[in-house]
């Protein structure tokens, strides 16, 4: 813990993928991390998540430096994470604080500590230089923890590169084909616009005076009625997306339409697998459990049974090749995804240059 | 579609195996391809099969050039294959004929088109230079579509290199050991002869005045009676085999014996997996569904539960090594398989030389 | 079989791991090898085990030199192992003794013969130079075949490098954490000592006047009573371990305590998988089937449901890296494992140098 300790080495193997490191990734839903620790892999690194004696969520290397057991399968004792194999205990600062064996000498092992912030009902992890971790950079998803909003949400590990997943949200024109029950033709036939602002990328879909799909109409309570609708996706590097979906009777000012805010956050596990966190909230029918269950079911089906298989299959057909090396045909709907990919590449390049210069 | 368009690039990754390309492979049973397209892998290349508006079977690259989704999981709309992800539609000529998105510009994407011929109840695909595709080279399996014959048939993906599967048919001496219920000692103890004619390889098995197995006797209705039998296997490069099996009362001229014609066609999926198409027909008891079911069951068991596991295990024990590098012991019964392997190697070498010269 | 025959080549591929070859590995429980042969992989080599006409256990290459079928899936005919594919038969001397095909010439194929000794209820296999195989080097586990002792035993294939498994037995301080029902705090809190004698490594655990765990007390019939206990592990290279566990009323001389002898033998299948043979015996309640079943259940649970998962996970987190390259933290309890690893490395190095010099 002293200032002069040697830099903590990474796990010793070069990662297969290239990642943006000095950024916030979603590590989990805060309420899913209780007294039982979690073992995860982020950016190919094993990470153990646990809550210390004060209930503060901590993230350290998920591999014991003694015999390489998964620390995240251990238990918390006196606020420290106890290895499930031989019982060494590590604090959230990554140091061994207890050795239960004769003598009890504490080994000089400093585990990687990952800055972890609990905010907006989520745990946000910083996989880069801890000195640069700035919680004010976490995007605003305050509706996720605001009692005025009731969210349905999910988390799963999805096969496929994480950029294929953020592309999918930025190009909502897929919805007509992949989600026939949930979406009408509006996302393909409406107006759309893509732009960039700072390091964010935006995709906007507008369709006035049209029928929404049976699925969305049911959620919004507008079955059989024409609506204006507005969809705005905001991409935050590397792959955290906010989807602002609004609909209202034709002519309703956009700000007065009914809003369904959504989160789609993608955290790479490996180059071939992705942690997929999603949520959609409403500010009506609060506490209506039956309605909530139906809404969750419809969205879970769309994301896990419709999006994930086609992205998995596309990923497999890429066979590990670089996206651009495959010379993809670019359509108008790729305006968001292509901007996001270029921005992310610039950010990664810049980070690598800075790191090489230092 | 113009004459001057650039040569269509292959999928960008070198295949792991070496294959004969300018030849006909079996792509499927014609009647299995209905209104629903199929996604397949042949020679490591993804291929989409579908029927156009006229019902003509078509084969194009099974990977959308936009976002790499499996086109064979799409649907046919107005005779074109619609991508399941964003709805681009491709004709059997491999060109994009419809873009459902605003503007609707057709991307300049020419997919690989594979010549595909429907003949003898099968779909035959040409994985090489389309200009050289000559349907007259398709071997004659007309009995498969002749109403005088009733065939039982199957298709499966088998683990193991495809040449191990054609070896298996050319060396029927395995039958006594692998198919104890189906075959008596005749295939091992009878006369046998191997020869070559043009690019075909032949293996002949003759056994006079002996008992057939319980299984074959039941199919032929000759339980308990001695028979003469004649087996002739004809191998067509790369791995399409015809098996002419005849039996009759001792002394019956060969031409007058009861014939059971069989197809065994092997199409490489990868170096480790093979599409296995098989059929056996009879010209008696036509329409006898119970007999047909029993015959299908016996053959399916023999090919899928007896041949496939031992070939799979042999393939695994080869651990990816080249067949000849393992210095196999050669027995008399290998006379067909060895000739076929050498012929196939010559044809592949010749094709590569011609391609390098061009 | 003549003296001048060429050296039998190995299977042609370099093994991924490095192994001690001139040593005895456990190949199986002798009574598990009956009339049906067995197909196994030891040190990455396929091995067929069978009993010849005299009932003597034999071990030869488990891959037919003709078409690479797994000989261990064959059957024994006239004391020879018949290939399941084309019926060649091989004797325990590795030579082809019968060719069932026309002509019947015996191919000149000498399979690798592995010296195999049936002793102490086990089959012991020598994976190195047969001329050096000396059965007197087999460690003494005579209690396994002594009617005064009744053993419960098991065998399974465990994921993880075999040295991780022998480390696990040498460092019993894991028991308090991994086997909470079986072990009390004694293994962590007691005295321990590690030493080496010849090429054996010893680990000793002594705890006087303490409570044993509920599990061990139940097996020993000492529930609720304080006991002295003595644990002595003896490691034989490369990974055969004897565990001498004794307990008695406080003050009982060690030799007069109740003894529970155990075997833990690990035979590498691949660098990532290990054949795990275990047994524990008692010399009381002989023939008490209910007690035997309870004892077997408790031990099987401990080894297969508690040890194996954590070793598997640790192995995966090592991601194929060399143990020392990962710079493990060394604790006092590693005194046995580290000695054993160094001894094994010395023995392997010495064997390689001798082989290079020859």
């Amino acid at each position: 813990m002293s200032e002069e300790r040697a830099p903590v080495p990474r796990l010793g193997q070069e990662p297969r993928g290239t990642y943006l490191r000095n950024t916030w990734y979603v590590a989990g839903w805060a309420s899913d991390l209780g007294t039982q620790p979690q073992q995860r892999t982020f950016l190919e690194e094993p990470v153990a998540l646990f809550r210390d004696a004060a209930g503060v969520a901590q993230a350290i290397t998920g591999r014991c430096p003694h015999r390489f057991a998964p620390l995240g399968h251990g238990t918390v004792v006196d606020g420290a994470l106890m290895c499930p194999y031989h019982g060494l205990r590590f604090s959230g600062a990554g140091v061994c604080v207890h050795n239960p064996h004769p003598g009890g000498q504490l080994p000089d092992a400093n585990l990687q500590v990952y800055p972890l912030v609990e905010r907006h009902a989520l745990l946000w992890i910083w996989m880069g230089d801890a000195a640069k971790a700035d919680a004010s950079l976490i995007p605003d998803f305050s509706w996720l923890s605001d009692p005025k909003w009731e969210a349905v949400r999910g988390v799963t590990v999805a096969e496929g590169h994480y950029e294929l997943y953020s592309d999918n949200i930025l190009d909502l024109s897929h919805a007509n084909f992949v989600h026939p029950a949930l979406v009408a033709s509006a996302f393909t036939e409406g107006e759309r616009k893509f732009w960039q602002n700072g390091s964010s990328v935006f995709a906007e879909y507008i369709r006035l005076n049209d029928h929404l799909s049976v699925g969305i109409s049911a959620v919004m309570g507008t079955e059989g009625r024409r609506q204006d609708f507005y969809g705005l996706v905001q991409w935050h590097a590397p792959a955290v997306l906010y989807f602002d979906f609004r609909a209202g009777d034709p002519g309703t000012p956009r700000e007065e339409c009914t809003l369904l805010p959504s989160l789609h956050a993608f955290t790479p596990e490996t180059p071939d697998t992705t942690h997929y966190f999603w949520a959609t909230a409403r500010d009506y029918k609060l506490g209506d459990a039956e309605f909530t269950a139906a809404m969750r079911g419809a969205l879970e089906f769309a994301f896990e049974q419709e999006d994930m298989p086609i992205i998995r299959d596309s990923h497999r057909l890429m066979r590990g090749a670089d996206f651009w090396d495959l010379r993809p045909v670019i359509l108008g709907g790729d305006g968001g995804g292509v901007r996001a990919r270029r921005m992310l590449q610039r950010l990664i390049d810049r980070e690598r240059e800075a790191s090489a210069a230092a």
Side-chain angles (χ1 to χ4, degrees), chain A residues 33 51 56 71 77 88 98-99 106 156 167 215 233 251 262 265-266 288 291 305 334 346 357:
Chain A
L33 183 63
R51 290 193 183 276
V56 178
L71 289 175
V77 179
L88 292 181
H98 182 72
N99 172 353
L106 298 183
T156 189
D167 285 349
V233 177
S262 291
F266 304 104
D288 181 336
F291 184 82
Q305 304 300 319
D334 292 307
R346 267 198 301 277

Side-chain angles (χ1 to χ4, degrees), chain A residues 46-300:
Chain A
V47 175
L49 303 171
F50 70 101
R51 290 193 183 276
D52 65 18
V56 178
Q58 304 284 355
I60 61 176
T61 293
R63 190 173 83 172
C64 183
H66 170 226
R67 286 287 171 153
F68 317 123
L71 289 175
H73 291 169
T75 47
V76 176
V77 179
D78 296 340
L81 181 55
M82 184 174 81
C83 177
Y85 199 0
H86 299 91
L88 292 181
R89 296 182 202 163
F90 298 89
S91 74
V95 295
C96 185
V97 294
H98 182 72
N99 172 353
H101 302 283
Q105 298 90 336
L106 298 183
D108 183 24
N110 293 313
L111 299 181
Q112 175 92 17
V113 175
Y114 300 94
L116 193 74
V117 173
E118 184 166 345
R119 186 169 294 179
H120 312 320
L122 291 160
L123 300 173
W124 300 83
I125 194 168
W126 184 270
M127 300 296 294
D129 179 353
K132 295 187 172 143
D134 175 358
S136 74
L137 299 174
I138 293 174
D140 181 10
F141 285 89
S142 51
W143 52 270
L144 279 167
S145 51
D146 182 337
K148 283 190 306 195
W149 293 92
E150 179 163 351
V152 296
R153 66 189 206 194
V155 55
T156 189
V157 175
E159 185 179 338
H161 192 277
Y162 69 103
E163 288 184 272
L164 296 180
Y165 281 92
S166 44
D167 285 349
N168 187 60
I169 304 300
L170 282 162
D171 182 2
L172 292 174
S173 75
H174 78 272
N176 299 5
F177 304 96
V178 178
H179 311 298
L182 200 64
V183 178
S185 57
F187 279 113
T188 291
E189 295 173 6
E191 274 179 66
R192 63 195 178 177
K193 216 165 64 180
F194 305 101
W195 70 94
Q196 191 174 316
N197 191 345
S199 66
S200 270
V201 169
F202 295 84
E204 187 177 60
Y205 297 82
I206 297 179
R207 181 70 167 177
L208 304 181
N209 196 28
D210 197 358
H211 287 283
L212 300 184
S213 73
V214 172
I216 298 281
S217 299
V219 169
M220 307 200 97
T222 60
E223 292 94 333
R225 285 155 49 198
R226 288 183 173 268
Q227 295 277 290
D228 290 351
F229 86 63
Y230 303 90
L232 179 65
V233 177
Q234 180 176 10
W235 172 88
H236 302 272
V240 174
L241 298 103
Y242 171 61
F243 178 34
D244 182 299
F245 180 87
R246 294 166 198 255
D249 292 333
T252 308
R254 187 166 178 171
E255 312 75 51
E256 294 173 20
C257 287
T258 303
L259 167 64
L260 296 179
S262 291
L263 161 84
H264 292 270
F266 304 104
T267 305
E269 183 187 56
T270 70
D272 300 310
T273 52
T274 297
H275 297 278
Y276 187 165
F277 303 92
W278 60 265
T280 298
R282 68 184 192 273
D283 62 355
Y284 53 91
K285 294 198 181 189
L286 300 183
D288 181 336
E290 195 179 335
F291 184 82
T292 298
M295 187 171 159
R296 177 187 297 113
L299 293 171
E300 193 171 271

Side-chain angles (χ1 to χ4, degrees), chain A residues 294-347:
Chain A
M295 187 171 159
R296 177 187 297 113
L299 293 171
E300 193 171 271
F301 184 83
F303 304 147
E304 303 192 7
Q305 304 300 319
E306 293 179 329
D307 282 318
M308 278 169 51
I310 204 162
I311 295 173
R312 173 200 66 203
D313 290 345
S314 300
H315 178 83
R316 290 182 185 172
L317 282 171
M318 293 176 68
R319 298 181 185 178
D322 173 79
F323 179 77
W324 294 111
D325 286 351
L326 294 175
R327 303 194 187 184
V329 159
I330 302 299
L331 301 181
D334 292 307
V338 167
R339 278 180 178 82
R341 284 177 173 271
R342 288 189 180 142
M343 172 60 71
L344 180 55
Q345 190 57 56
R346 267 198 301 277
L347 293 171

